[in-house]
Amino acid sequence: AKDGYKLWLDYQPIDNASLNTEIEELFKGVYFFGKNPTYEVIKKELGLASKGFFNHNPEFKNLNQNAHLWIGTRTELTQYLGLEQQAKIKALGDEGYWRGTINQGGESHYAIVGNSPIGTLYGVFDFFRSIQTGTFDSSSEKSDSPKIKLRMLNHWDNLDRTVERGYAGFSIWDWHKLPGYVDPRYIDYARANASLGINAVSLTNVNANAWVLREDFIEKVKVLADLFRPYGIQVFLTARFSAPIEMGNLETADPLDAEVKNFWKERVDMIYKEIPDFGGFVVKANSEGQPGPHEYGRNHAEGANMLAEALAPHSGIVIWRAFVYSHEIDEDRHKQANLEFEPLDGKFMDNVIIQVKNGAIDFQPREPFHPLFGAVDETNLGMEFQITQEYLGQATQLVYLSPMWEEVLQSKTFRPSPNSTVAGIIDGSATNKKLTLMAGVSNIGTDRNWTGHLFGQANWYAFGKLAWDPYQNSSDIANEWISLTFGKDPETKSKILSIMLQSHEAAVNYMTPLGLHHIMGRSHHYGPGPWVEGGRADWTSLYYHRANTEGIGFDRTATGSNALGQYASEIASEWSDPNLIPEKFLLWFHHVPWDFQLKSGKTLWEGIAFHYDQGVKSARSFHQTWQTLEGLIDQERFNHVNQLLKIQVKEAEWWRNACLLFFQTFSNRPFPDDIEQPT
Ligand code: GCU
């Protein structure tokens, strides 16, 4: 059934006859140069691929017995590789691989060679991908390696299987039936991640429950860790800072208290006894009411280092989140992370990474990059993207997020050097760091197709690709995903691609154009809610848009909160001028009069109306384009997406009407004639 369960690993029959024979030969003579659990995984995957491509099993041979496809590590294949080639492969690092033809004794062999079995696995998945996309070519070689060390999914899954901000059913972790019952889905999950190079997963919600650190839960976690290991996936857990009180019977969780330190040391030792390659902890502390070191007058570094000390002997790490703000403080939330973390630069242990959310506010449809990138030199910084679409239509809207991530990754920070970019900081090249991280808040649940909306799969896919190489482009990633998901028909591909590539800008247009942000319905964040008012110190008046009869927007220049002052001076000076700042960020940083002139010649009011209207038109065009795909793709997925696109059109109209009619009560101006009038 085309229900989406197989994700991008749906190995369809090969349609190119000549390539077919060549590749089929490879599958009929497979030789492994060694034995280990990861090779067992590769064997199984070869079985699935061969069945799918050719409808028969692969044949495993001996070396001197027509073995056409060679699989092994660099060291295992030493005698077949020249010295220069060995050096080249070695330089790719532990997880890198090379694949290409080796001529040996008058025969040629196609070899997939990793520096480690996991590297080999990555090479095999890439080999399959080349077959699926019709780009396999035995005469050209390919080598690749990840640019970021930790490529990680963060599940916001609770122990009762609800998922915070999850829109695809319940958590796939069945804690109740673990450790005894092993859901086959865990393996498919591991395969999907490994195929993208995702090598770490945090299983539990950042709003953490201390119970997951109990022995009985660790036994369950161990089962998952054992399953994931041959796929190269390391397991992390979220640690609740107050666990020493809640489960250790201590009176304090003060990170400098000897008993507290001891509690964590014992807990960590216990975990490593069960899971020797346990990754470490992800921690949300002193944010949104979560416990943390501030309760004891200690800072983030003292809190993080206490855990890092317990983990260090086991090579574990602490991923400490920079998403810190208190809704009780009357300070621009945009500034809080820098205020708390900049003074601590250089104070964190080497095995601590500060995980910085994409956007100082909160995963908005479009945010300027977080000002912590570039503000600290002596601190490991990782990126946190949100794959689940909390603020982007949840599971009813098709929004391909890769262009948004790409925009952020490519952003120039001007620090530490004039050419630095966010990508350069998180891959460590700009800052000379080895411990690097890109995390994505997962959009996965028990829904048959994993992500609720079929196109949510593309976001999981794109996240994995960008975590591997943050310099890739969204269009290439989308093209590849479409081929793997819908096949290679050019018409189908180009139509789907055009929808995907426009979808993020469209959502920004009908939700939060020109730098508007956080005007979603209160707490659920679904649909418009610009009228939300007060009740929290950090909201001051009217949420974040601050509309009044004069104009609209949040003044973050020197005359306002001066969050802009936290960026490099190149940015701060340019963006503090409403005529120079990129218009997409105008209302993020400026309170602007309704009659302010935009670059298009329109007034701000007309421009806002125009963008909302454009957003609706785009959503309608997606639905129209999709309808022309009927018959070109299977009815099952056609219907699934078609129904959702219809909902998306309604939601876009809802956003436009709600926001424009509401903002009109301040602007007191008519809608321009050239847009559809909101009602
Ligand atoms: C957002 C989200 C919360 C989440 C928080 C976080 O505010 O709405 O559900 O807990 O981010 O990232 O910690």
Side-chain angles (χ1 to χ4, degrees):
K2 289 287 179 200
D3 54 17
Y5 181 78
K6 291 186 176 170
L7 298 159
W8 46 88
L9 300 176
D10 187 5
Y11 303 119
Q12 289 295 305
I14 303 184
D15 46 23
N16 179 328
S18 59
L19 251 190
N20 182 331
T21 343
E22 189 192 347
I23 299 170
E24 193 168 6
E25 282 307 302
L26 298 180
F27 280 80
K28 282 183 176 162
V30 186
Y31 178 70
F32 281 85
F33 280 76
K35 237 180 153 31
N36 62 61
T38 296
Y39 290 176
E40 293 308 309
V41 157
I42 296 178
K43 270 185 199 162
K44 273 195 224 144
E45 203 65 30
L46 274 164
L48 292 168
S50 184
K51 273 291 224 202
F53 294 148
F54 312 111
N55 199 24
H56 63 68
N57 288 323
E59 291 168 42
F60 300 103
K61 296 274 170 67
N62 291 324
L63 189 52
N64 46 18
Q65 207 202 352
N66 278 333
H68 303 299
L69 181 61
W70 284 4
I71 295 178
T73 60
R74 174 179 45 84
T75 32
E76 287 163 348
L77 272 89
T78 311
Q79 65 177 117
Y80 304 101
L81 302 166
L83 284 181
E84 209 178 296
Q85 195 175 17
Q86 287 181 45
K88 240 172 59 192
I89 300 177
K90 189 169 181 194
L92 295 166
D94 263 7
E95 296 172 299
Y97 65 83
W98 170 88
R99 58 182 178 85
T101 297
I102 295 179
N103 292 310
Q104 170 70 28
E107 277 194 45
S108 62
H109 307 271
Y110 193 76
I112 304 174
V113 184
N115 278 317
S116 64
I118 297 299
T120 309
L121 174 67
Y122 292 157
V124 169
F125 274 119
D126 190 63
F127 165 62
F128 292 163
R129 208 155 30 229
S130 74
I131 299 171
Q132 289 170 284
T133 53
T135 55
F136 176 74
D137 176 3
S138 61
S139 66
S140 72
E141 37 185 307
K142 171 162 182 196
S143 52
D144 204 0
S145 61
K147 294 197 162 57
I148 294 177
K149 187 174 157 78
L150 285 166
R151 308 172 297 278
M152 182 177 203
L153 287 186
N154 285 185
H155 288 264
W156 283 359
D157 294 16
N158 296 312
L159 301 184
D160 66 3
R161 299 192 75 181
T162 54
V163 180
E164 178 144 354
R165 310 305 179 183
Y167 314 102
F170 286 93
S171 169
I172 59 173
W173 318 128
D174 192 344
W175 298 111
H176 177 65
K177 294 204 198 82
L178 281 166
Y181 181 77
V182 179
D183 189 332
R185 193 160 190 158
Y186 302 146
I187 291 294
D188 290 328
Y189 167 84
R191 291 173 52 226
N193 281 333
S195 75
L196 302 174
I198 290 172
N199 66 354
V201 3
S202 170
L203 300 172
T204 45
N205 193 354
V206 287
N207 298 316
N209 185 331
W211 278 21
V212 77
L213 304 173
R214 276 181 1 189
E215 277 91 338
D216 54 340
F217 264 96
I218 295 303
E219 260 182 65
K220 299 169 194 271
V221 174
K222 174 186 163 51
V223 171
L224 296 175
D226 288 345
L227 282 178
F228 295 165
R229 189 168 298 114
Y231 292 87
I233 300 169
Q234 230 186 344
V235 166
F236 288 69
L237 292 172
T238 49
R240 186 164 165 84
F241 204 78
S242 53
I245 303 172
E246 286 153 28
M247 57 191 302
N249 285 324
L250 300 183
E251 267 162 26
T252 176
D254 181 351
L256 300 193
D257 181 279
E259 281 187 305
V260 170
K261 287 185 184 186
N262 195 47
F263 166 88
W264 284 108
K265 188 187 171 309
E266 281 180 11
R267 248 332 97 171
V268 165
D269 292 347
M270 178 274 286
I271 295 174
Y272 278 91
K273 248 170 101 183
E274 301 296 324
I275 310 168
D277 56 353
F278 179 66
F281 294 134
V282 177
V283 187
K284 171 177 179 177
N286 293 120
S287 170
E288 299 186 323
Q290 294 296 310
H294 292 180
E295 273 93 278
Y296 311 97
R298 317 295 183 196
N299 61 38
H300 289 293
E302 288 165 318
N305 290 344
M306 182 269 297
L307 294 173
E309 257 172 54
L311 288 157
H314 307 279
S315 310
I317 67 166
V318 174
I319 299 176
W320 191 271
R321 297 177 80 228
F323 179 66
V324 293
Y325 77 92
S326 167
H327 52 277
E328 286 160 0
I329 296 177
D330 177 17
E331 172 60 276
D332 180 5
R333 174 164 158 186
H334 196 296
K335 290 167 64 182
Q336 291 191 39
N338 281 54
L339 290 175
E340 292 181 28
F341 284 88
E342 276 190 60
L344 299 176
D345 192 20
K347 302 252 158 60
F348 291 94
M349 282 174 59
D350 289 345
N351 62 331
V352 177
I353 307 183
I354 304 304
Q355 179 170 301
V356 185
K357 192 180 265 200
N358 177 36
I361 296 296
D362 199 357
F363 297 136
Q364 291 304 292
R366 169 173 276 135
E367 293 207 24
F369 74 87
H370 197 298
L372 209 47
F373 292 113
V376 292
D377 299 325
E378 306 294 317
T379 307
N380 298 317
L381 292 186
M383 172 61 88
E384 176 178 311
F385 285 131
Q386 193 181 42
I387 311 172
T388 190
Q389 292 168 236
E390 174 178 356
Y391 294 99
L392 280 138
Q394 303 186 357
T396 46
Q397 295 189 18
L398 189 168
V399 185
Y400 176 50
L401 301 176
S402 186
M404 170 175 82
W405 298 330
E406 188 186 334
E407 180 176 302
V408 169
L409 291 165
Q410 301 301 325
S411 296
K412 277 180 85 164
T413 59
F414 296 94
R415 302 181 295 196
S417 50
N419 292 325
S420 302
T421 60
V422 172
I425 292 172
I426 61 166
D427 76 6
S429 59
T431 43
N432 210 4
K433 296 277 188 301
K434 294 274 168 296
L435 187 54
T436 53
L437 161 77
M438 190 193 287
V441 179
S442 152
N443 60 349
I444 299 163
T446 50
D447 276 11
R448 185 71 195 155
N449 70 8
W450 301 86
T451 52
H453 198 305
L454 183 78
F455 278 76
Q457 295 182 0
N459 291 331
W460 179 4
Y461 190 87
F463 168 77
K465 286 272 159 172
L466 288 172
W468 178 275
D469 176 358
Y471 302 93
Q472 285 188 79
N473 107 17
S474 301
S475 167
D476 293 347
I477 298 172
N479 249 318
E480 189 173 87
W481 177 80
I482 298 165
S483 293
L484 302 176
T485 307
F486 291 105
K488 299 193 291 287
D489 171 51
E491 187 188 338
T492 310
K493 277 188 67 174
S494 74
K495 285 178 172 170
I496 297 179
L497 183 68
S498 88
I499 295 176
M500 286 173 78
L501 292 183
Q502 294 174 66
S503 60
H504 172 251
E505 202 61 48
V508 170
N509 276 335
Y510 60 71
M511 291 180 184
T512 51
L514 293 168
L516 287 170
H517 52 284
H518 221 315
I519 54 173
M520 289 76 190
R522 185 169 182 166
S523 96
H524 51 73
H525 302 155
Y526 172 72
W531 41 83
V532 172
E533 201 167 347
R536 268 170 60 163
D538 64 329
W539 288 349
T540 345
S541 63
L542 279 172
Y543 235 5
Y544 291 93
H545 60 76
R546 309 217 160 171
N548 56 24
T549 51
E550 325 273 282
I552 183 169
F554 198 121
D555 184 4
R556 293 196 167 95
T557 66
T559 55
S561 78
N562 201 21
L564 207 40
Q566 293 181 331
Y567 288 90
S569 58
E570 288 89 336
I571 295 177
S573 65
E574 189 179 307
W575 293 11
S576 62
D577 181 341
N579 292 301
L580 293 181
I581 188 171
E583 261 173 14
K584 60 187 177 186
F585 297 135
L586 180 63
L587 304 179
W588 193 286
F589 289 104
H590 293 272
H591 189 81
V592 183
W594 294 111
D595 290 325
F596 175 85
Q597 236 202 332
L598 297 172
K599 300 200 174 74
S600 60
K602 293 186 192 322
T603 66
L604 175 65
W605 171 243
E606 290 162 350
I608 290 175
F610 173 78
H611 278 281
Y612 276 105
D613 194 57
Q614 279 300 108
V616 170
K617 288 186 173 135
S618 305
R620 287 183 191 147
S621 80
F622 301 158
H623 185 225
Q624 277 154 12
T625 303
W626 188 262
Q627 282 174 309
T628 67
L629 289 171
E630 188 160 22
L632 290 177
I633 61 171
D634 53 285
Q635 201 62 32
E636 198 169 349
R637 287 183 299 183
F638 173 81
N639 284 339
H640 166 81
V641 176
N642 195 43
Q643 294 180 69
L644 292 170
L645 284 172
K646 240 189 259 175
I647 297 176
Q648 185 163 352
V649 170
K650 281 202 159 156
E651 291 181 344
E653 292 168 349
W654 175 33
W655 267 98
R656 178 200 59 192
N657 295 347
C659 292
L660 287 183
L661 289 167
F662 177 72
F663 291 142
Q664 192 182 41
T665 64
F666 299 93
S667 78
N668 289 313
R669 284 157 174 78
F671 296 115
D673 304 330
D674 56 352
I675 70 157
E676 189 177 288
Q677 302 295 298
T679 47

